[in-house]
C-alpha cells in the first residue's frame, strides 16, 4: 500500500497543548482589559516601574504567578484605570516573571524582566536545567512555528528543545508578527536572548530578542494526512540547497521505522531562480501497529559552506483503541496508548470560566476528559451517557483523558421531576435524570410489590420536596455496574440521591431502574 504524504509539525504542536502554554492565553489587547504596556523592565541594581491598567470590571493578579522577589501593588481592583507599581531589589543575575491579570473570562499577561546579563551561549539543555528568571542566549533550529503574530516558536539543538513564548520584531515590538518581520521559517537556525520561565512543566524563554538568523537550507513539502495502523510505505518530500540530504531515524523508533530508499531531482539554475533547490522523495517502511496510537520522528539534515540545517518530521500512526472502564484507565500508565470509555457526564470542567471539558463516571470511578476535540460545552450535558476516546495523561498528579474526542452521546438524558417521570412512556432506551431523598418503603407499598433494601440492591422510594415519590428498583453503582452493589455506596434513608434511570412498569407498579450519579449525606 502507499501512504500519502504527511505535514511534519502538526503533531508536535498538538502534543505541546497538553503540557505547554495554550494559544488561548496569548497576550491580547482586549477592549475590556488592557494595559499601557505588557513588558516591564527593572534595573539589575534594583528599581521600580509602573503601568496603567484599564478594566471594565473587577480584576486581580493570579497570586501564584507573583514570585517572592517581586513586589506588585495593588494586586486587585475595580473598573476604571489603575496605576500598578512593580519593584524589586538588587539581583546578581537577570530574572523575570510572567504575570496574568484576570477579569471575568478575560486574561491579560504582563512580563516583568529585571536585568539582562548574558555571559555565554547556552545549550537548550543548559536552559532546561537552569534557574527560572535568568536570561539566556541560545541557538537552535526552528522545529515549529505555533503562532506568527506573537512569535511562539519551538527551537531545538542536539541537547534538547525549548519554547519561545513571544518573539520581539525587528523594532523590538511585541505582538507585531515577528515571524514575517524576521522572515522566519521552519528549519532556520536562530540565536535569541530572553529570560527563562517554566509554565505547566514547559521550559520557555519569554519575549526573546533575535540576535542572528541562519536561513534554512531545507524545507519539507509533504501535505498532511493520516497514517493507518496497518503500516506501509511513508513518502516524505524534501527540498534542499545543501550538498546532500541525510535522513536518519532515532534509536527509539528504529524497530518500526525503516529507511527504504530515496529519489532525487536536481534543480536547474535559471534567470528567475539562480540558486535552485534539489528535491528528494524519501521512503520509509512503517511496520503495522498492534498497540495504541504512536508518534514517530524522522530527521533530515543538509550542509552548505559550513552551515547545517536540521529538520524533524513528526507523524502519528493510528493504533488499536482499547475499550476499558474508568478504573482500568486510571490504573494505566501515561503514554500514547488509545482508550475508549463510556460513562455518565458527572460535571462540566471550567478553566477561567470557559468550558474546557467534562468529567465522566462509571461504576469504577471518575476521570476528567480534558479539552476533547470539537467540544464547546453544548454537545453533552450532565447526566448524558457518552463515549469518549483518548490517551492517559496527568496534570499535577491528577489523571486526565487527553488528546481525545467525544465520540458519541449514547443517551441524551433528560432532567425531569418525579411528578413528570411517572407519566412518561416505558422504555429502557430513554434515560432521565432524577433527584430526591431516599425514603423507606411502607407496608402498603410492599403490598403492591415494592421492596425495601438499602444495604445491597438499592430498592426504595425516591421523594422530592413536594412529596412526589417513585419506586426505585435496583440502583447500580454507575454505568456498567452489576446489581447488588448499591450497599457499597454507604447510603441510607434521608440521604439525597441523583440517578440516571429509565421507566418501567411491573404488575402495575411504576419503577425507576437506575444508575448512581451523585449523593449527599443527610445532616446528622
Amino acid at each position: 500500500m502507499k501512504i500519502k504524504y504527511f505535514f511534519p509539525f502538526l503533531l508536535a504542536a498538538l502534543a505541546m497543548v497538553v503540557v505547554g502554554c495554550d494559544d488561548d492565553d496569548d497576550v491580547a489587547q482586549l477592549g475590556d482589559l488592557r494595559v499601557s504596556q505588557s513588558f516591564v523592565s527593572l534595573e539589575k541594581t534594583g528599581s521600580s516601574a509602573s503601568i496603567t491598567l484599564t478594566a471594565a470590571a473587577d480584576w486581580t493578579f493570579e497570586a501564584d504567578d507573583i514570585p517572592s522577589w517581586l513586589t506588585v501593588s495593588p494586586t486587585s481592583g475595580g473598573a476604571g484605570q489603575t496605576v500598578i507599581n512593580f519593584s524589586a531589589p538588587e539581583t546578581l543575575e537577570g530574572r523575570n516573571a510572567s504575570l496574568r491579570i484576570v477579569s471575568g473570562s478575560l486574561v491579560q499577561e504582563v512580563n516583568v524582566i529585571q536585568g539582562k546579563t548574558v555571559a555565554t551561549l547556552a545549550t537548550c539543555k543548559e536552559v532546561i536545567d537552569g534557574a527560572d528568571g535568568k536570561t539566556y542566549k541560545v541557538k537552535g533550529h526552528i522545529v515549529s512555528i505555533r503562532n506568527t503574530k506573537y512569535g511562539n516558536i519551538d527551537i531545538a539543538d542536539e541537547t534538547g528543545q525549548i519554547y519561545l513564548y513571544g518573539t520581539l520584531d525587528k523594532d523590538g515590538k511585541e505582538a507585531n508578527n515577528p515571524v514575517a518581520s524576521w522572515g522566519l521559517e521552519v528549519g532556520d537556525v536562530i540565536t535569541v536572548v530572553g529570560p527563562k520561565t517554566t509554565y505547566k512543566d514547559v521550559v520557555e524563554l519569554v519575549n526573546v530578542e533575535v540576535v542572528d538568523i541562519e536561513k534554512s537550507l531545507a524545507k519539507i513539502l509533504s501535505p498532511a494526512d493520516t497514517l493507518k495502523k496497518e503500516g506501509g510505505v511513508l513518502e516524505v518530500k524534501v527540498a534542499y540547497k545543501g550538498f546532500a540530504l541525510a535522513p536518519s531515524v532515532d534509536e527509539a523508533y528504529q524497530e518500526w521505522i525503516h529507511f527504504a530508499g530515496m529519489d532525487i531531482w536536481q534543480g536547474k539554475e535559471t534567470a528567475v531562480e539562480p540558486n535552485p533547490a534539489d528535491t528528494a522523495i524519501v521512503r520509509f517502511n512503517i511496520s503495522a501497529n498492534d498497540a495504541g496510537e504512536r508518534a514517530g520522528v524522522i530527521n533530515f539534515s543538509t550542509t552548505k559552506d559550513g552551515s547545517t540545517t536540521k529538520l524533524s518530521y513528526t507523524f502519528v500512526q493510528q493504533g488499536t483503541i482499547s475499550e476499558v472502564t474508568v478504573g482500568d484507565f486510571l490504573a494505566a500508565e501515561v503514554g500514547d496508548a488509545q482508550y475508549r470509555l463510556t460513562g455518565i457526564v458527572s460535571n462540566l470542567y471550567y478553566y477561567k470560566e470557559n468550558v474546557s471539558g467534562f468529567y465522566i463516571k462509571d461504576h469504577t470511578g471518575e476521570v476528567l476528559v480534558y479539552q476533547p476535540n470539537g467540544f464547546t460545552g453544548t454537545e453533552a450535558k450532565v447526566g448524558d451517557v457518552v463515549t469518549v476516546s483518548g490517551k492517559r495523561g496527568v496534570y499535577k498528579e491528577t489523571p486526565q483523558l487527553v488528546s481525545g474526542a467525544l465520540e458519541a452521546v449514547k443517551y441524551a438524558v433528560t432532567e425531569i421531576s418525579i411528578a413528570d417521570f411517572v407519566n412518561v412512556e416505558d422504555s429502557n432506551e430513554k434515560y432521565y435524570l432524577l433527584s430526591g431523598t431516599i425514603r423507606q418503603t411502607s407496608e402498603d407499598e410492599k403490598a403492591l410489590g415494592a421492596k425495601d433494601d438499602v444495604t445491597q440492591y438499592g430498592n426504595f422510594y425516591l421523594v422530592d420536596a413536594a412529596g412526589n415519590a417513585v419506586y426505585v428498583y435496583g440502583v447500580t453503582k454507575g454505568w456498567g455496574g452489576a446489581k447488588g452493589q448499591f450497599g457499597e455506596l454507604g447510603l441510607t434513608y434521608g440521604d439525597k440521591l441523583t440517578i440516571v434511570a429509565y421507566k418501567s412498569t411491573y404488575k402495575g407498579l411504576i419503577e425507576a431502574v437506575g444508575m448512581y450519579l451523585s449523593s449527599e449525606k443527610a445532616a446528622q
Side-chain angles (χ1 to χ4, degrees):
M1 63 176 286
K2 181 175 181 180
I3 298 171
K4 294 184 179 179
Y5 306 141
F6 289 77
F7 184 76
F9 303 107
L10 176 62
L11 269 300
L14 290 177
M16 292 294 288
V17 171
V18 178
V19 295
C21 292
D22 296 336
D23 285 341
D24 291 342
D25 288 338
D26 286 338
V27 179
Q29 294 298 322
L30 304 169
D32 291 335
L33 181 67
R34 61 183 186 274
V35 291
S36 56
Q37 62 188 74
S38 59
F39 184 88
V40 177
S41 179
L42 302 177
E43 297 296 330
K44 187 177 179 181
T45 55
S47 67
S48 61
S50 63
I51 64 172
T52 300
L53 170 73
T54 303
D58 291 347
W59 57 271
T60 185
F61 279 91
E62 290 194 347
D64 292 343
D65 289 348
I66 303 176
S68 58
W69 57 268
L70 179 64
T71 300
V72 181
S73 180
T75 57
S76 62
Q81 288 192 339
T82 304
V83 176
I84 302 175
N85 298 301
F86 303 85
S87 62
E90 183 178 6
T91 181
L92 297 178
E93 289 187 326
R95 55 190 178 184
N96 89 296
S98 181
L99 312 181
R100 286 174 171 79
I101 305 171
V102 179
S103 178
S105 61
L106 303 179
V107 179
Q108 174 68 63
E109 181 167 300
V110 177
N111 293 296
V112 181
I113 293 181
Q114 183 181 16
K116 193 181 293 184
T117 301
V118 181
T120 57
L121 189 69
T123 66
C124 287
K125 187 177 187 306
E126 288 172 336
V127 175
I128 293 170
D129 295 339
D132 282 7
K134 183 177 179 179
T135 299
Y136 289 89
K137 180 179 181 181
V138 63
K139 179 179 180 180
H141 67 274
I142 297 178
V143 174
S144 65
I145 298 174
R146 301 198 216 172
N147 182 293
T148 57
K149 180 178 180 181
Y150 301 105
N152 295 342
I153 297 169
D154 295 289
I155 66 170
D157 62 12
E158 292 81 0
T159 67
Q161 179 171 311
I162 59 175
Y163 181 40
L164 308 184
Y165 184 57
T167 303
L168 303 181
D169 72 357
K170 284 186 175 181
D171 297 322
K173 296 180 180 179
E174 303 173 43
N176 196 36
N177 200 339
V179 172
S181 174
W182 291 105
L184 300 178
E185 297 178 288
V186 170
D188 288 349
V189 177
I190 60 175
T191 303
V192 297
V193 174
K196 177 198 171 184
T197 187
T198 304
Y199 180 72
K200 292 184 179 180
D201 298 327
V202 176
V203 173
E204 306 172 354
L205 295 185
V206 182
N207 283 355
V208 300
E209 298 179 12
V210 177
V211 176
D212 185 56
I213 302 173
E214 299 174 21
K215 291 302 295 178
S216 173
L217 298 173
K219 186 175 183 179
I220 297 176
L221 305 177
S222 298
D225 206 340
T226 301
L227 181 60
K228 302 299 183 181
K229 66 179 182 179
E230 291 79 10
V233 177
L234 168 66
E235 295 185 347
V236 185
K237 187 176 183 180
V238 185
Y240 64 99
K241 297 181 180 179
F243 173 72
L245 182 70
S248 63
V249 178
D250 291 340
E251 184 177 355
Y253 309 104
Q254 289 177 4
E255 287 188 0
W256 59 282
I257 304 176
H258 308 280
F259 176 73
M262 178 166 54
D263 297 326
I264 299 176
W265 293 267
Q266 295 185 343
K268 294 182 179 180
E269 184 170 331
T270 66
V272 178
E273 190 179 13
N275 296 299
D278 294 337
T279 301
I281 298 292
V282 190
R283 298 184 301 278
F284 299 86
N285 289 325
I286 309 299
S287 301
N289 184 15
D290 296 326
E293 182 180 278
R294 59 188 178 186
V297 179
I298 298 171
N299 304 313
F300 298 94
S301 65
T302 186
T303 301
K304 182 178 181 180
D305 298 331
S307 179
T308 299
T309 288
K310 297 181 179 180
L311 296 176
S312 296
Y313 173 79
T314 302
F315 66 96
V316 161
Q317 184 181 16
Q318 295 177 347
T320 301
I321 300 179
S322 302
E323 296 193 16
V324 297
T325 65
V326 173
D328 289 339
F329 177 81
L330 294 174
E333 294 184 358
V334 174
D336 289 329
Q338 289 282 318
Y339 299 93
R340 178 175 290 116
L341 295 76
T342 297
I344 303 172
V345 177
S346 55
N347 214 340
L348 296 181
Y349 173 75
Y350 292 86
Y351 178 72
K352 298 185 185 300
E353 300 186 4
N354 296 316
V355 179
S356 295
F358 51 85
Y359 293 86
I360 65 168
K361 178 187 290 188
D362 68 4
H363 67 289
T364 64
E366 184 179 44
V367 68
L368 170 62
V369 180
Y370 181 68
Q371 291 187 338
N373 292 338
F375 182 73
T376 64
T378 61
E379 292 78 8
K381 61 185 181 301
V382 172
D384 286 352
V385 180
V386 300
T387 297
V388 298
S389 62
K391 302 177 182 179
R392 171 66 158 82
V394 65
Y395 177 67
K396 292 185 177 180
E397 300 183 357
T398 300
Q400 299 178 351
L401 186 145
V402 299
S403 302
L406 171 62
E407 290 190 353
V409 177
K410 189 177 181 71
Y411 296 108
V413 176
T414 302
E415 185 173 4
I416 195 172
S417 68
I418 292 177
D420 289 337
F421 176 80
V422 298
N423 293 316
V424 301
E425 65 177 337
D426 288 10
S427 173
N428 60 5
E429 293 293 321
K430 294 182 179 180
Y431 283 87
Y432 301 89
L433 193 65
L434 288 175
S435 296
T437 301
I438 298 174
R439 173 173 69 74
Q440 189 171 9
T441 306
S442 69
E443 293 302 320
D444 289 341
E445 290 164 342
K446 290 179 181 178
L448 297 174
K451 299 178 181 180
D452 188 73
D453 177 8
V454 294
T455 61
Q456 184 176 3
Y457 284 95
N459 300 325
F460 45 76
Y461 270 81
L462 197 65
V463 59
D464 63 17
N468 300 302
V470 66
Y471 176 58
V472 177
Y473 177 69
V475 178
T476 67
K477 286 177 62 178
W479 178 263
K483 290 185 178 296
Q485 299 176 345
F486 177 80
E488 298 176 13
L489 296 171
L491 300 178
T492 189
Y493 308 117
D495 293 342
K496 294 181 179 179
L497 175 66
T498 298
I499 60 175
V500 173
Y502 65 84
K503 184 196 171 189
S504 177
T505 304
Y506 180 71
K507 294 183 179 181
L509 180 63
I510 296 176
E511 300 175 341
V513 183
M515 298 165 286
Y516 174 83
L517 180 59
S518 62
S519 60
E520 180 182 338
K521 295 294 291 183
Q524 301 297 321

